[in-house]
Amino acid sequence: MNLITHNPVLLNEALEYLNIRNNLVYVDATFGLGGYTKEILKKNNCTVIAVDRDPDVQKFSVILKKNYKNKFKFILGKFGDLKKLLEIESVDKITGGIVADLGMSSLHLENGKRGFSIKNNGPLDMRMSKKGISAEYVINSFEEDELSKIFWNYGEEHKSRKIAKTIVIERKKNKISTTHDLANLIKKVKLQKKPYRIHPATKIFQALRIFINNELEEIKCLIDHSINIMAPGARLVLISFHSLEDRLIKNTFKKLCEGEKNVNRHLPSLKPLMKPKFKKIGKPFYIPTENEILKNPRSRSAKLRVIERVSI
Ligand SMILES: C[S@@+](CC[C@H](N)C(=O)[O-])C[C@H]1O[C@@H](n2cnc3c(N)ncnc32)[C@H](O)[C@@H]1O
């Protein structure tokens, strides 16, 4: 029996800002345990195409397929390939909206075997698609300099050099194979004497996960594909969980909503200025209420941003 459940983060806000309407097509780009998809389907008579790269979540789509038949489709794949995945299904326009909840699912965090968890020991894996190079491979074979760059670029870890150096020394004695091997080693390097609120290895785990799953590139492609397939009135709702993701979304949305600017405001524009094709909806961003954080502490760093296509 599968006892793992997942509390969808900012669910009410995501549903509200997706603006779910009858007879339109929506994409849930991060299906997970189906929390968003289920509620979108319940809310109105619309169609949901759900995407997830993790083969372990496919089983959660079976019951929805049974209940909603041709109103629901699950596609196993990366949202960075969204346009191609939809083309295979003969879909070239999304009329309703696209939502992506970018964090990790409970399936990743609670099942130690997936290798994402500092708390639950398991093999150092971290591959969402269960394909490609694992965190164990990176930690035990990358050069010190490459490791330190990953830790700094994707984790903004101030002790990235010292941690990379220690990993290279320690792996000569013993292979670093489990999440606890790595977490304990980082704890020793960071030597935090005071009790900590977040584990000292958190940033390193985040950095490795982003690198292994090419997460920032995936988000760039998701936005790029989405803006090309959204029909006027369709919305893009993205929920991020750390500053690197949020910065990327914020800056890209800003550019999309600004349109073309006159290069020199003192000179007349030589060509007619392009009006922006997207507009921001509501506040610059939404965060969980204190009540939601209390019920689901994992939601504490979530930020939701939304844009709408206004013209072709
Ligand atoms: C936070 S969970 C989503 C939870 C979901 N909203 C729910 O309510 O159950 C994020 C999901 O996105 C998936 N994912 C992450 N990156 C992905 C990518 N590039 N392409 C497709 N799926 C991805 C993960 O496998 C995970 O299942």
Side-chain angles (χ1 to χ4, degrees):
M1 196 171 30
N2 179 36
L3 291 175
I4 295 182
T5 55
H6 180 88
N7 280 335
V9 171
L10 286 165
L11 178 64
N12 293 334
E13 292 81 352
L15 295 176
E16 180 183 344
Y17 292 105
L18 256 183
N19 192 17
I20 298 151
R21 288 150 292 159
N22 273 332
N23 303 322
L24 299 187
V25 179
Y26 291 83
V27 170
D28 178 356
T30 53
F31 177 72
L33 281 81
Y36 281 18
T37 293
K38 223 179 291 170
E39 295 305 317
I40 299 170
L41 285 166
K42 259 195 230 162
K43 218 169 152 67
N44 255 322
N45 182 25
C46 57
T47 301
V48 176
I49 302 170
V51 175
D52 204 296
R53 72 192 294 182
D54 184 348
D56 283 1
V57 309
Q58 198 153 8
K59 56 179 175 281
F60 300 106
S61 70
V62 177
I63 182 90
L64 287 172
K65 188 72 205 155
K66 223 167 154 183
N67 293 342
Y68 291 94
K69 303 198 168 61
N70 57 359
K71 292 273 168 200
F72 171 68
K73 170 95 200 167
F74 175 83
I75 308 174
L76 183 64
K78 294 187 287 183
F79 57 57
D81 295 328
L82 188 64
K83 202 159 178 281
K84 196 175 78 194
L85 298 177
L86 293 177
E87 267 164 19
I88 298 171
E89 300 300 322
S90 307
V91 176
D92 62 354
K93 273 279 165 279
I94 294 301
T95 47
I98 299 169
V99 63
D101 167 17
L102 299 163
M104 278 179 293
S105 76
S106 311
L107 225 52
H108 296 146
L109 286 166
E110 266 148 49
N111 179 0
K113 285 191 191 132
R114 298 299 303 269
F116 290 94
S117 174
I118 296 178
K119 197 172 93 200
N120 303 316
N121 195 23
L124 255 185
D125 190 316
M126 297 195 188
R127 294 169 305 165
M128 287 184 181
S129 307
K130 295 188 155 183
K131 282 189 223 155
I133 57 167
S134 66
E136 186 195 62
Y137 178 83
V138 172
I139 287 292
N140 289 285
S141 57
F142 274 32
E143 303 281 340
E144 184 181 324
D145 193 40
E146 288 174 296
L147 287 176
S148 138
K149 274 192 195 135
I150 293 173
F151 300 158
W152 174 248
N153 290 341
Y154 302 129
E156 298 176 317
E157 168 59 66
H158 289 288
K159 296 215 166 132
S160 54
R161 287 221 181 113
K162 198 168 168 198
I163 293 170
K165 190 173 178 164
T166 313
I167 287 172
V168 171
I169 295 170
E170 290 302 316
R171 76 188 186 193
K172 282 186 191 141
K173 299 181 213 155
N174 284 308
K175 195 170 181 186
I176 302 164
S177 324
T178 67
T179 55
H180 278 184
D181 287 348
L182 182 64
N184 292 336
L185 196 145
I186 296 162
K187 205 165 144 187
K188 273 194 223 149
V189 180
K190 289 188 75 173
L191 261 183
Q192 270 172 247
K193 290 194 187 104
K194 287 187 221 149
Y196 43 80
R197 197 173 57 85
I198 59 162
H199 193 284
T202 305
K203 287 181 174 179
I204 298 295
F205 271 62
Q206 173 191 301
L208 276 171
R209 200 196 86 207
I210 295 177
F211 176 76
I212 300 285
N213 297 292
N214 199 17
E215 290 183 21
L216 298 180
E217 200 51 42
E218 278 290 306
I219 299 173
K220 277 188 207 159
C221 292
L222 170 67
I223 301 179
D224 201 36
H225 291 200
S226 300
I227 61 174
N228 283 304
I229 53 176
M230 285 161 72
R235 292 188 175 176
L236 176 60
V237 177
L238 298 183
I239 295 126
S240 65
F241 286 83
H242 55 77
S243 56
L244 293 172
E245 280 176 349
D246 185 56
R247 217 174 294 149
L248 170 61
I249 296 166
K250 181 175 119 185
N251 293 338
T252 318
F253 279 11
K254 187 167 179 265
K255 270 195 209 142
L256 289 168
C257 296
E258 265 174 358
E260 199 176 307
K261 278 192 174 159
N262 196 353
V263 244
N264 185 338
R265 66 193 168 89
H266 301 295
L267 292 174
S269 170
L270 296 177
K271 52 178 182 172
L273 293 182
M274 292 272 284
K275 278 206 180 139
K277 293 189 172 121
F278 292 87
K279 67 174 181 192
K280 285 190 190 144
I281 299 293
K283 294 192 210 162
F285 60 84
Y286 295 87
I287 53 173
T289 57
E290 275 176 30
N291 200 17
E292 175 167 2
I293 298 174
L294 218 62
K295 282 196 204 140
N296 178 16
R298 269 185 211 154
S299 70
R300 67 184 176 274
S301 54
K303 246 184 201 177
L304 179 152
R305 294 184 188 267
V306 50
I307 55 171
E308 179 182 301
R309 171 143 221 150
V310 283
S311 64
I312 295 281

